[in-house]
Amino acid sequence: MGAMSRRAPWMSVRVCGGLRVTTARTVLGPRDLGGAKSRQVLLALLVEGGTPVPKTRLIETLWGDEPPAGALSTLEAYVSVLRKRLATAEPGLRPVLTVPGGYRWDVDAVPVDLVEYGRHVAAAREAGAAGRCPLTDYRAAIDLVEAPLLPDDVDLPWLRDRAHVHAARVLQVLVEAGRAAAAAGDLERSEAWARRALELDPLLESAWVVLLETLERRGQEAEALREYDACRTLLAAELGCEPGPRLRGVFERLLVATSCAADGGLGELVEAVVRLHLALRDGHGTRPTALDGFADAGRRGRAGEALPPVVGQGTSLSEDCRRLRELVRAVAGPAERGLTRFTPMATSA
């Protein structure tokens, strides 16, 4: 009989968001599973995902470097209490297994959210590597870890460390899943997963890349530029640095796309911003091939029309600066006279 056929679907365990044991008849919360030490033993077994945990490590988990006399017997008593409490939820089921020198949780008989999460992530990665759609498994994995790994009434250093490692892995999976969703054309889910990753860690550049590229694919260049500005401001304030090369590359493509959609003088001004941005970034006085990196975007608009020249083509940086100064004067003049509105000037070549 295979391991999966032994599974008891009427019992499952959740660790994320608080320790819960659920059966068809009842739900056991943390205080239904024995005292604090018994719950710590259970958590130590659950987070190992079915791997045997030596009794010596469990003793160290419970008491650190100074275990009491008779610590081994006391540990075994805690395990006995835990088994009895679990049996009240589902008689006859013994998921806490004794192994040589320790214990382990029978994850094949009673599923644990952390273990199921790991299985779905592995299945999603395998599907992606094989060219199959991984979104079903990514979605199932992410749904299992909506809440953080830190039970309500437990504040233990070893568990905090595991929670930090788990949170970092969840962020990585959210970014992976966002990229996979974008590649599959599910841009709504790609954006949602990227934004969720940024809620957890606003400084995660890889999540910003997924968000901006998704907005770019949706044709929301203006929204993407606003998000880039928010990202740039946040990184400067929190880390004292500028966005990395991948983010800047998306930004530059967005500027080009925006200039292509703009009319008349405004388009020329946006092109000037692109040129000045690249020149300042690279420290060049002139850069006749500055937009060679935009080859992916091509030299055509959405409808296939040829785009206006952006770099070189007889345009100098001094001319770009002149255009921007004229725009500043056009805005500042009415403001200095106390006017509340102005008419944009036509920018001459």
Side-chain angles (χ1 to χ4, degrees):
M1 181 180 296
M4 293 301 291
S5 63
R6 297 192 298 106
R7 175 164 295 190
W10 53 85
M11 177 182 275
S12 64
V13 180
R14 290 190 67 88
V15 181
C16 297
L19 184 58
R20 297 288 186 276
V21 177
T22 303
T23 72
R25 300 181 301 173
T26 187
V27 176
L28 301 180
R31 300 188 184 282
D32 300 316
L33 296 166
K37 296 295 187 184
S38 293
R39 295 197 299 274
Q40 289 177 36
V41 171
L42 176 57
L43 286 168
L45 297 177
L46 293 175
V47 298
E48 290 302 326
T51 301
V53 183
K55 292 181 181 180
T56 53
R57 197 203 306 173
L58 290 172
I59 289 172
E60 183 180 355
T61 296
L62 293 175
W63 294 290
D65 296 331
E66 298 181 357
L72 180 59
S73 298
T74 305
L75 169 64
E76 292 169 348
Y78 289 145
V79 172
S80 178
V81 169
L82 181 58
R83 283 170 168 163
K84 288 177 182 177
R85 295 298 181 93
L86 292 168
T88 63
E90 194 58 54
L93 194 62
R94 290 172 59 89
V96 179
L97 303 179
T98 299
V99 298
Y103 303 97
R104 76 174 181 87
W105 185 267
D106 189 353
V107 295
D108 292 321
V110 178
V112 180
D113 56 354
L114 289 178
V115 177
E116 297 301 293
Y117 162 77
R119 287 173 173 170
H120 282 298
V121 170
R125 289 171 176 169
E126 181 180 349
R132 303 190 305 272
C133 181
L135 295 190
T136 299
D137 278 300
Y138 273 130
R139 184 168 60 250
I142 291 168
D143 287 346
L144 284 168
V145 292
E146 273 191 309
L149 172 61
L150 199 59
D152 301 333
D153 63 344
V154 177
D155 185 18
L156 301 167
W158 70 267
L159 187 57
R160 285 198 300 272
D161 292 342
R162 294 298 293 264
H164 291 321
V165 172
H166 170 73
R169 290 173 177 167
V170 169
L171 283 171
Q172 179 184 357
V173 169
L174 282 167
V175 172
E176 282 180 21
R179 290 197 190 107
D186 191 342
L187 300 182
E188 182 177 353
R189 184 165 281 121
S190 176
E191 180 180 350
W193 284 338
R195 290 191 184 279
R196 181 170 171 188
L198 290 171
E199 287 175 5
L200 297 173
D201 184 359
L203 301 176
L204 188 63
E205 282 203 46
S206 56
W208 281 107
V209 170
V210 173
L211 176 60
L212 266 62
E213 289 182 342
T214 299
L215 293 172
E216 181 185 23
R217 289 189 182 208
R218 298 177 77 166
Q220 297 176 260
E221 288 89 357
E223 174 66 16
L225 285 171
R226 284 192 291 270
E227 294 290 358
Y228 177 84
D229 186 61
C231 170
R232 183 190 59 76
T233 301
L234 183 63
L235 292 177
E238 296 293 329
L239 302 179
C241 67
E242 288 292 312
R246 181 83 180 270
L247 266 175
R248 292 200 305 269
V250 180
F251 170 65
E252 290 160 6
R253 290 200 309 270
L254 291 167
L255 284 177
V256 171
T258 304
S259 73
C260 297
D263 293 327
L266 178 58
E268 293 179 353
L269 283 169
V270 174
E271 291 169 11
V273 171
V274 174
R275 285 187 292 269
L276 290 170
H277 164 74
L278 291 170
L280 289 171
R281 185 195 72 184
D282 296 326
H284 292 242
T286 60
R287 192 162 184 252
T289 58
L291 290 183
D292 287 349
F294 292 148
D296 291 342
R299 297 295 302 145
R300 296 188 174 278
R302 290 193 187 90
E305 71 276 10
L307 299 185
V310 177
V311 178
Q313 308 292 325
T315 302
S316 67
L317 292 179
S318 60
E319 178 67 12
D320 292 336
C321 291
R322 183 190 65 76
R323 289 176 176 174
L324 293 177
R325 282 195 297 270
E326 288 182 0
L327 177 63
V328 171
R329 284 197 297 270
V331 175
E336 291 172 354
R337 296 193 299 272
L339 302 179
T340 58
R341 56 178 295 182
F342 71 97
T343 303
M345 59 173 287
T347 306
S348 58

